[in-house]
Amino acid sequence: MRKDIKVSVSILCADFKYLADEVKKCEDSGADMLHVDVMDGHFVPVITVGKMIVEAIRPITKLPIEAHLMIENPYAHIDDFLNAGADIISVHAECYGQRRKGCRNFGEYPKEVDKIDIELARKDIKKVHDSGKEIIMTVNPGTPLCFDEILPEIDGVLIMSVNPGFAKQKFMPVALPKIQALSRTFKGYIAVDGGVNADTAQSVIDAGANVLATASYFFGAQDPSQAVKYLKSLKPQKHKKRA
Ligand code: DX5
Ligand code: ZN
């Protein structure tokens, strides 16, 4: 049976002067989780926020907090985000395998891999699960789904529909076949992140996504509650046969 659509609001487009109010806005809107975009200036070109922001918002919201770690060497930092109060840790597949030529060095983006070291990923899966929290494996638009072995061990897959680094980018349809492929068998979260808005959300729902991350569509909306309501109201238009 189809899972309800969950909306994960990225605070990347929040007004950080009024972060507590912005978090309340997310909560009041009916959003299902808060998405914190952590960027280190190495895995992606820019630096955003770290565990202190998770720590700061943890006491003021009951919503689950998802730390989307766009950082090198997630293993070294996962504990910090768990201790800060994150409920879901999203790590990138590109951190567990040899990168393609052209994106191996500092400053070469986007990072992409064709396969990952499963045992290395399992160390992080264990770390997160040992603390009773959930882990999501994320893929950049150019990285294929290359971790079938661990699908039964993870809580979700996050399909990037933009190259990570910035909000307000254009949705990349290359994400859709990956969502479709996953939706045939995978029972966990099938999340999509990047360029999700009123024009693109239906296509990701049709493909089989059940979690929509949004920053600019939510914070740019005249009525953010309506935006969330709209996203949550979407139903797949095509009849899909589920395994
Ligand atoms: C991109 C981030 C996304 C981003 C989404 O690197 O991971 O979560 O904030 O922003 P919008 O919804 O504006 O595409
Ligand atoms: Zn994100």
Side-chain angles (χ1 to χ4, degrees):
M1 210 179 37
R2 192 181 77 92
K3 289 194 181 142
D4 286 342
I5 303 300
K6 289 189 193 304
V7 173
S8 184
V9 175
S10 164
I11 59 167
L12 194 58
C13 289
D15 183 341
F16 276 71
K17 286 195 298 301
Y18 307 106
L19 190 54
D21 294 341
E22 298 285 65
V23 166
K24 187 165 185 323
K25 189 192 281 180
C26 298
E27 199 156 272
D28 292 348
S29 75
D32 299 280
M33 34 185 138
L34 288 175
H35 179 109
V36 180
D37 282 311
V38 179
M39 306 190 195
D40 68 352
H42 288 257
F43 182 75
V44 286
V46 295
I47 299 175
T48 55
V49 301
K51 63 164 182 157
M52 285 161 75
I53 289 291
V54 175
E55 248 161 31
I57 63 178
R58 180 67 289 169
I60 60 170
T61 182
K62 290 197 168 54
L63 291 179
I65 299 175
E66 171 192 6
H68 177 190
L69 302 184
M70 289 161 276
I71 62 174
E72 298 289 7
N73 193 11
Y75 186 80
H77 304 281
I78 284 173
D79 281 334
D80 278 349
F81 285 92
L82 291 170
N83 292 335
D87 303 282
I88 304 171
I89 302 286
S90 299
V91 291
H92 269 262
E94 295 81 14
C95 295
Y96 304 98
Q98 192 183 44
R99 294 191 178 146
R100 286 187 191 145
K101 263 197 182 137
C103 63
R104 287 187 191 152
N105 299 316
F106 176 74
E108 295 176 338
Y109 305 109
K111 304 300 186 194
E112 293 171 346
V113 295
D114 289 296
K115 60 178 185 176
I116 71 166
D117 179 336
I118 293 292
E119 290 314 316
L120 200 59
R122 280 197 170 121
K123 279 174 66 183
D124 289 10
I125 294 170
K126 181 171 177 348
K127 194 186 257 288
V128 175
H129 282 167
D130 280 353
S131 70
K133 305 298 182 184
E134 296 187 309
I135 185 161
I136 290 182
M137 189 59 72
T138 309
V139 283
N140 279 345
T143 295
L145 293 171
C146 53
F147 40 86
D148 285 358
E149 300 94 317
I150 53 167
L151 284 178
E153 300 162 40
I154 57 180
D155 302 284
V157 177
L158 173 56
I159 309 282
M160 293 305 299
S161 40
V162 298
N163 283 311
F166 309 93
K168 301 183 193 164
Q169 298 186 78
K170 196 166 179 286
F171 179 83
M172 294 168 69
V174 70
L176 295 173
K178 285 189 263 187
I179 300 171
Q180 275 157 2
L182 261 181
S183 75
R184 285 185 206 112
T185 52
F186 187 61
K187 302 280 181 261
Y189 302 121
I190 303 177
V192 58
D193 185 12
V196 174
N197 56 39
D199 297 327
T200 58
Q202 184 67 58
S203 66
V204 303
I205 299 295
D206 288 348
N210 50 39
V211 180
L212 307 180
T214 165
S216 54
Y217 175 58
F218 177 88
F219 284 102
Q222 226 162 28
D223 182 348
S225 303
Q226 261 322 106
V228 169
K229 214 170 165 185
Y230 169 71
L231 294 179
K232 288 174 76 82
S233 73
L234 293 172
K235 310 254 178 298
Q237 300 279 300
K238 290 172 227 150
H239 180 68
K240 295 177 76 71
K241 202 173 166 214
R242 293 304 184 89

